[in-house]
Amino acid sequence: LLPGLTNTRFASALVKNEVILNTAVQQIQLKLAAASSEMARAALYLASDASNFTTGVSLNAEGGVLS
């Protein structure tokens, strides 16, 4: 799982600083930081039977930065 900017305690210095946040979201097509629950759902997919044919991939969950 390759997460993008996610609103967590770890990233709070980035998310709470408006200058840094605005600069970061300019690079994200969805124009917002992810919620931790959004990263949890991506991880849940990888841990679930729904991904039983998913092998050797990196799941980019970054809101469109790489698009």
Coordinates of all heavy atoms in Angstrom, one line a residue:
L1 N 0.9 -1.2 0.0 CA 0.0 0.0 0.0 C 0.9 1.2 0.0 O 1.8 1.4 0.9 CB -0.9 0.0 1.2 CG -1.9 1.1 1.4 CD1 -2.8 1.2 0.2 CD2 -2.7 1.0 2.7
L2 N 0.7 2.1 -1.0 CA 1.5 3.3 -1.1 C 0.5 4.5 -0.9 O -0.1 5.0 -1.8 CB 2.1 3.4 -2.5 CG 3.0 2.2 -2.9 CD1 3.4 2.3 -4.3 CD2 4.2 2.2 -2.0
P3 N 0.4 4.9 0.4 CA -0.5 6.0 0.7 C 0.0 7.4 0.3 O 1.2 7.6 0.4 CB -0.7 5.9 2.2 CG 0.6 5.3 2.7 CD 1.1 4.4 1.6
G4 N -0.9 8.2 -0.1 CA -0.6 9.6 -0.3 C -0.7 10.4 1.0 O -0.8 9.8 2.1
L5 N -0.8 11.7 0.9 CA -1.0 12.5 2.1 C -2.2 12.1 2.9 O -3.3 12.2 2.3 CB -1.0 14.0 1.8 CG -1.2 15.0 2.9 CD1 0.0 14.9 3.9 CD2 -1.3 16.4 2.4
T6 N -2.1 11.7 4.1 CA -3.2 11.2 4.9 C -3.3 12.0 6.2 O -2.3 12.2 6.9 CB -3.1 9.7 5.2 OG1 -2.9 9.0 3.9 CG2 -4.3 9.2 5.9
N7 N -4.5 12.4 6.6 CA -4.7 13.2 7.8 C -4.6 12.3 9.0 O -5.6 11.7 9.4 CB -6.1 13.9 7.7 CG -6.2 14.9 8.8 OD1 -5.3 15.1 9.6 ND2 -7.3 15.6 8.8
T8 N -3.4 12.2 9.5 CA -3.1 11.4 10.7 C -2.3 12.2 11.7 O -1.8 13.3 11.4 CB -2.3 10.1 10.3 OG1 -1.0 10.6 9.8 CG2 -3.0 9.2 9.3
R9 N -2.2 11.6 12.9 CA -1.3 12.3 13.9 C 0.1 12.5 13.4 O 0.7 13.5 13.6 CB -1.4 11.5 15.2 CG -0.8 12.2 16.4 CD -1.1 11.5 17.6 NE -1.1 10.1 17.5 CZ -1.0 9.2 18.4 NH1 -0.8 9.6 19.7 NH2 -1.1 7.9 18.2
F10 N 0.6 11.5 12.7 CA 1.9 11.5 12.1 C 2.1 12.7 11.1 O 3.2 13.3 11.1 CB 2.3 10.2 11.4 CG 3.7 10.1 10.8 CD1 4.8 9.9 11.7 CD2 3.8 10.2 9.5 CE1 6.0 9.9 11.1 CE2 5.1 10.2 8.9 CZ 6.2 10.0 9.8
A11 N 1.1 12.9 10.3 CA 1.2 14.0 9.3 C 0.6 15.3 9.8 O 0.4 16.2 8.9 CB 0.5 13.5 8.0
S12 N 0.3 15.4 11.0 CA -0.4 16.6 11.5 C 0.3 17.9 11.2 O -0.3 18.9 11.0 CB -0.8 16.5 13.0 OG 0.4 16.4 13.8
A13 N 1.6 17.9 11.3 CA 2.4 19.1 11.0 C 2.2 19.5 9.6 O 2.2 20.8 9.3 CB 3.9 18.8 11.3
L14 N 2.0 18.6 8.7 CA 1.8 19.0 7.3 C 0.3 19.5 7.1 O 0.1 20.4 6.4 CB 2.1 17.8 6.4 CG 3.4 17.2 6.4 CD1 3.5 15.9 5.6 CD2 4.5 18.2 6.0
V15 N -0.6 18.7 7.6 CA -2.0 19.0 7.4 C -2.5 20.2 8.1 O -3.3 21.0 7.6 CB -2.8 17.7 7.8 CG1 -4.3 18.0 7.7 CG2 -2.4 16.5 7.0
K16 N -1.9 20.5 9.3 CA -2.4 21.7 10.0 C -1.7 23.0 9.5 O -2.2 24.1 9.9 CB -2.1 21.5 11.5 CG -3.0 20.5 12.1 CD -2.7 20.3 13.6 CE -3.6 19.2 14.2 NZ -3.2 19.0 15.6
N17 N -0.7 22.9 8.8 CA 0.0 24.1 8.2 C -0.6 24.4 6.9 O -0.5 23.7 5.9 CB 1.5 23.9 8.1 CG 2.2 25.1 7.6 OD1 1.8 25.7 6.6 ND2 3.3 25.4 8.3
E18 N -1.4 25.5 6.8 CA -2.2 25.8 5.6 C -1.3 26.0 4.4 O -1.7 25.6 3.3 CB -3.0 27.1 5.8 CG -4.3 26.8 6.7 CD -5.3 27.8 6.6 OE1 -5.5 28.4 5.5 OE2 -6.0 28.1 7.6
V19 N -0.1 26.6 4.5 CA 0.8 26.8 3.4 C 1.3 25.5 2.8 O 1.2 25.2 1.6 CB 2.0 27.7 3.8 CG1 3.0 27.8 2.7 CG2 1.5 29.1 4.2
I20 N 1.7 24.6 3.7 CA 2.2 23.3 3.3 C 1.0 22.5 2.8 O 1.1 21.8 1.7 CB 2.8 22.5 4.5 CG1 4.1 23.2 4.9 CG2 3.1 21.1 4.1 CD1 4.8 22.7 6.1
L21 N -0.2 22.5 3.4 CA -1.3 21.7 3.0 C -1.8 22.2 1.6 O -2.0 21.4 0.7 CB -2.5 21.8 3.9 CG -3.7 21.1 3.6 CD1 -3.5 19.6 3.4 CD2 -4.8 21.4 4.6
N22 N -1.8 23.5 1.4 CA -2.3 24.0 0.1 C -1.3 23.7 -1.0 O -1.7 23.4 -2.1 CB -2.5 25.5 0.1 CG -3.7 25.9 0.9 OD1 -4.6 25.1 1.0 ND2 -3.7 27.1 1.5
T23 N 0.0 23.7 -0.7 CA 1.0 23.3 -1.7 C 0.9 21.8 -2.0 O 1.0 21.4 -3.2 CB 2.4 23.6 -1.1 OG1 2.5 25.0 -0.9 CG2 3.5 23.2 -2.1
A24 N 0.6 21.0 -1.0 CA 0.5 19.5 -1.2 C -0.7 19.2 -2.0 O -0.7 18.4 -3.0 CB 0.5 18.8 0.1
V25 N -1.9 19.8 -1.7 CA -3.1 19.4 -2.4 C -3.1 19.9 -3.8 O -3.9 19.4 -4.7 CB -4.4 19.9 -1.6 CG1 -4.5 19.2 -0.3 CG2 -4.5 21.4 -1.5
Q26 N -2.3 20.9 -4.2 CA -2.1 21.3 -5.6 C -1.7 20.1 -6.4 O -2.0 20.1 -7.6 CB -1.2 22.5 -5.7 CG -1.6 23.7 -5.0 CD -2.8 24.3 -5.7 OE1 -3.0 24.3 -6.9 NE2 -3.7 24.9 -4.9
Q27 N -0.9 19.2 -5.8 CA -0.4 18.0 -6.6 C -1.4 16.9 -6.6 O -1.1 15.9 -7.3 CB 0.9 17.6 -5.9 CG 1.9 18.6 -5.7 CD 2.4 19.2 -7.1 OE1 2.6 18.5 -8.0 NE2 2.4 20.6 -7.1
I28 N -2.5 16.9 -5.8 CA -3.4 15.8 -5.7 C -4.7 16.2 -6.6 O -5.3 17.2 -6.3 CB -3.8 15.6 -4.2 CG1 -2.6 15.4 -3.4 CG2 -4.8 14.5 -4.1 CD1 -2.8 15.4 -1.9
Q29 N -5.0 15.3 -7.5 CA -6.2 15.6 -8.3 C -7.5 15.8 -7.5 O -8.3 16.5 -7.9 CB -6.3 14.5 -9.4 CG -5.3 14.6 -10.5 CD -5.6 13.7 -11.6 OE1 -6.6 13.1 -11.8 NE2 -4.6 13.6 -12.5
L30 N -7.6 15.0 -6.5 CA -8.8 15.1 -5.6 C -8.8 16.4 -4.8 O -9.8 16.7 -4.1 CB -9.0 13.9 -4.8 CG -9.3 12.6 -5.6 CD1 -9.4 11.4 -4.6 CD2 -10.5 12.7 -6.4
K31 N -7.7 17.1 -4.7 CA -7.5 18.4 -4.0 C -7.9 18.3 -2.5 O -8.4 19.2 -1.9 CB -8.4 19.5 -4.6 CG -8.1 19.7 -6.0 CD -6.7 20.2 -6.2 CE -6.4 20.5 -7.7 NZ -5.1 20.3 -8.1
L32 N -7.5 17.1 -1.8 CA -7.6 17.0 -0.4 C -6.7 15.9 0.1 O -6.3 15.0 -0.6 CB -9.1 16.7 0.0 CG -9.7 15.5 -0.7 CD1 -9.9 14.4 0.3 CD2 -11.1 15.9 -1.2
A33 N -6.5 15.9 1.4 CA -5.7 14.9 2.1 C -6.7 13.7 2.4 O -7.9 14.0 2.6 CB -5.1 15.4 3.3
A34 N -6.2 12.5 2.3 CA -7.1 11.4 2.6 C -7.4 11.3 4.1 O -6.6 11.7 4.9 CB -6.4 10.1 2.2
A35 N -8.5 10.7 4.4 CA -8.8 10.4 5.8 C -8.1 9.0 6.1 O -7.9 8.2 5.2 CB -10.3 10.3 6.0
S36 N -7.8 8.8 7.4 CA -7.2 7.5 7.7 C -8.1 6.3 7.4 O -7.7 5.2 7.0 CB -6.8 7.5 9.2 OG -7.9 7.7 10.0
S37 N -9.4 6.5 7.5 CA -10.4 5.5 7.1 C -10.3 5.1 5.7 O -10.5 3.9 5.3 CB -11.8 5.9 7.5 OG -12.2 7.0 6.7
E38 N -9.9 6.0 4.8 CA -9.7 5.7 3.4 C -8.5 4.8 3.2 O -8.6 3.8 2.4 CB -9.6 7.0 2.5 CG -10.9 7.7 2.5 CD -10.8 9.1 2.0 OE1 -9.9 9.9 2.4 OE2 -11.6 9.4 1.1
M39 N -7.5 5.0 3.9 CA -6.3 4.1 3.8 C -6.6 2.8 4.4 O -6.2 1.7 3.9 CB -5.1 4.7 4.5 CG -4.5 5.9 3.9 SD -4.1 5.6 2.2 CE -4.9 6.9 1.3
A40 N -7.4 2.8 5.5 CA -7.8 1.5 6.1 C -8.6 0.7 5.2 O -8.5 -0.6 5.1 CB -8.6 1.8 7.4
R41 N -9.5 1.3 4.4 CA -10.3 0.5 3.4 C -9.4 -0.1 2.3 O -9.6 -1.2 1.9 CB -11.4 1.4 2.8 CG -12.5 1.6 3.8 CD -13.7 2.2 3.1 NE -13.5 3.5 2.5 CZ -13.7 4.7 3.1 NH1 -14.1 4.7 4.4 NH2 -13.5 5.8 2.5
A42 N -8.4 0.6 1.9 CA -7.4 0.1 0.9 C -6.7 -1.1 1.5 O -6.5 -2.2 0.8 CB -6.5 1.1 0.5
A43 N -6.3 -1.0 2.8 CA -5.6 -2.1 3.4 C -6.5 -3.3 3.6 O -6.1 -4.4 3.5 CB -5.0 -1.6 4.8
L44 N -7.8 -3.0 4.0 CA -8.8 -4.0 4.1 C -9.0 -4.8 2.9 O -9.1 -6.1 2.9 CB -10.1 -3.4 4.6 CG -11.2 -4.4 4.9 CD1 -10.8 -5.4 6.0 CD2 -12.5 -3.7 5.3
Y45 N -9.0 -4.1 1.7 CA -9.1 -4.8 0.5 C -8.0 -5.8 0.3 O -8.2 -7.0 -0.1 CB -9.1 -3.9 -0.7 CG -8.8 -4.5 -2.0 CD1 -9.8 -5.4 -2.6 CD2 -7.6 -4.4 -2.6 CE1 -9.5 -6.0 -3.8 CE2 -7.3 -5.1 -3.8 CZ -8.2 -5.9 -4.4 OH -8.0 -6.6 -5.5
L46 N -6.7 -5.4 0.6 CA -5.6 -6.2 0.4 C -5.6 -7.4 1.3 O -5.1 -8.5 1.0 CB -4.3 -5.4 0.6 CG -4.0 -4.4 -0.5 CD1 -2.8 -3.6 -0.1 CD2 -3.7 -5.1 -1.9
A47 N -6.2 -7.2 2.5 CA -6.3 -8.3 3.5 C -7.5 -9.2 3.3 O -7.6 -10.3 3.9 CB -6.3 -7.7 4.9
S48 N -8.4 -8.9 2.4 CA -9.6 -9.6 2.3 C -9.5 -10.6 1.1 O -8.6 -10.6 0.3 CB -10.8 -8.6 1.9 OG -10.7 -8.2 0.6
D49 N -10.5 -11.5 1.1 CA -10.6 -12.5 0.0 C -10.9 -11.9 -1.3 O -10.6 -12.5 -2.4 CB -11.8 -13.5 0.3 CG -11.4 -14.4 1.5 OD1 -10.2 -14.6 1.8 OD2 -12.4 -15.0 2.0
A50 N -11.3 -10.6 -1.3 CA -11.6 -9.9 -2.6 C -10.3 -9.7 -3.4 O -10.3 -9.6 -4.6 CB -12.2 -8.6 -2.4
S51 N -9.1 -9.8 -2.7 CA -7.9 -9.6 -3.4 C -7.1 -10.9 -3.6 O -5.9 -10.8 -3.8 CB -7.0 -8.6 -2.5 OG -6.6 -9.2 -1.4
N52 N -7.8 -12.0 -3.5 CA -7.1 -13.3 -3.6 C -6.4 -13.5 -4.9 O -5.5 -14.4 -5.0 CB -8.0 -14.5 -3.2 CG -9.1 -14.7 -4.3 OD1 -9.3 -13.8 -5.1 ND2 -9.8 -15.8 -4.2
F53 N -6.7 -12.8 -5.9 CA -6.0 -13.0 -7.2 C -5.1 -11.8 -7.5 O -4.5 -11.6 -8.6 CB -7.0 -13.1 -8.4 CG -6.5 -13.9 -9.5 CD1 -6.2 -15.3 -9.4 CD2 -6.2 -13.3 -10.7 CE1 -5.7 -16.0 -10.5 CE2 -5.7 -14.0 -11.8 CZ -5.4 -15.4 -11.7
T54 N -4.9 -10.9 -6.5 CA -4.0 -9.8 -6.6 C -2.7 -10.1 -6.0 O -2.5 -10.4 -4.8 CB -4.6 -8.6 -5.8 OG1 -5.9 -8.3 -6.3 CG2 -3.7 -7.3 -5.9
T55 N -1.6 -10.2 -6.9 CA -0.3 -10.5 -6.4 C 0.7 -9.6 -7.0 O 0.6 -9.1 -8.1 CB 0.1 -12.0 -6.8 OG1 0.0 -12.1 -8.2 CG2 -0.9 -13.0 -6.2
G56 N 1.7 -9.3 -6.2 CA 2.9 -8.6 -6.7 C 2.6 -7.2 -7.2 O 3.2 -6.7 -8.1
V57 N 1.6 -6.5 -6.5 CA 1.3 -5.1 -7.0 C 1.5 -4.2 -5.8 O 1.5 -4.5 -4.7 CB -0.2 -5.0 -7.4 CG1 -0.4 -5.9 -8.6 CG2 -1.1 -5.3 -6.3
S58 N 1.7 -2.9 -6.2 CA 1.7 -1.8 -5.2 C 0.4 -1.1 -5.5 O 0.2 -0.6 -6.6 CB 2.9 -0.9 -5.5 OG 4.1 -1.6 -5.3
L59 N -0.4 -1.0 -4.4 CA -1.7 -0.3 -4.5 C -1.4 1.2 -4.2 O -1.1 1.5 -3.0 CB -2.7 -0.9 -3.6 CG -4.1 -0.2 -3.5 CD1 -4.7 -0.2 -4.9 CD2 -5.0 -0.9 -2.6
N60 N -1.5 2.0 -5.2 CA -1.3 3.5 -5.0 C -2.7 4.1 -4.5 O -3.6 4.1 -5.2 CB -0.9 4.2 -6.3 CG 0.4 3.7 -6.8 OD1 1.4 3.6 -6.0 ND2 0.6 3.5 -8.0
A61 N -2.7 4.6 -3.3 CA -3.8 5.2 -2.7 C -3.4 6.6 -2.4 O -3.2 7.0 -1.3 CB -4.3 4.5 -1.5
E62 N -3.3 7.5 -3.5 CA -2.8 8.8 -3.3 C -3.6 9.9 -3.9 O -3.1 11.0 -4.1 CB -1.3 8.8 -3.9 CG -1.0 7.9 -5.0 CD -1.6 8.3 -6.4 OE1 -2.5 9.1 -6.5 OE2 -1.2 7.7 -7.4
G63 N -4.8 9.6 -4.3 CA -5.7 10.7 -4.7 C -5.5 11.2 -6.1 O -6.0 12.3 -6.5
G64 N -4.6 10.6 -6.9 CA -4.4 11.0 -8.2 C -3.0 11.8 -8.4 O -2.9 12.4 -9.4
V65 N -2.1 11.7 -7.5 CA -0.8 12.4 -7.6 C -0.1 11.8 -8.8 O 0.5 12.6 -9.6 CB 0.0 12.2 -6.4 CG1 1.4 12.8 -6.6 CG2 -0.7 12.9 -5.2
L66 N -0.1 10.5 -9.0 CA 0.6 9.9 -10.1 C -0.1 9.8 -11.4 O 0.4 9.4 -12.4 CB 1.0 8.5 -9.7 CG 1.9 8.4 -8.4 CD1 2.2 6.9 -8.1 CD2 3.2 9.1 -8.7
S67 N -1.4 10.3 -11.4 CA -2.2 10.3 -12.7 C -1.7 11.3 -13.7 O -1.3 12.4 -13.4 CB -3.6 10.5 -12.4 OG -4.1 9.4 -11.6

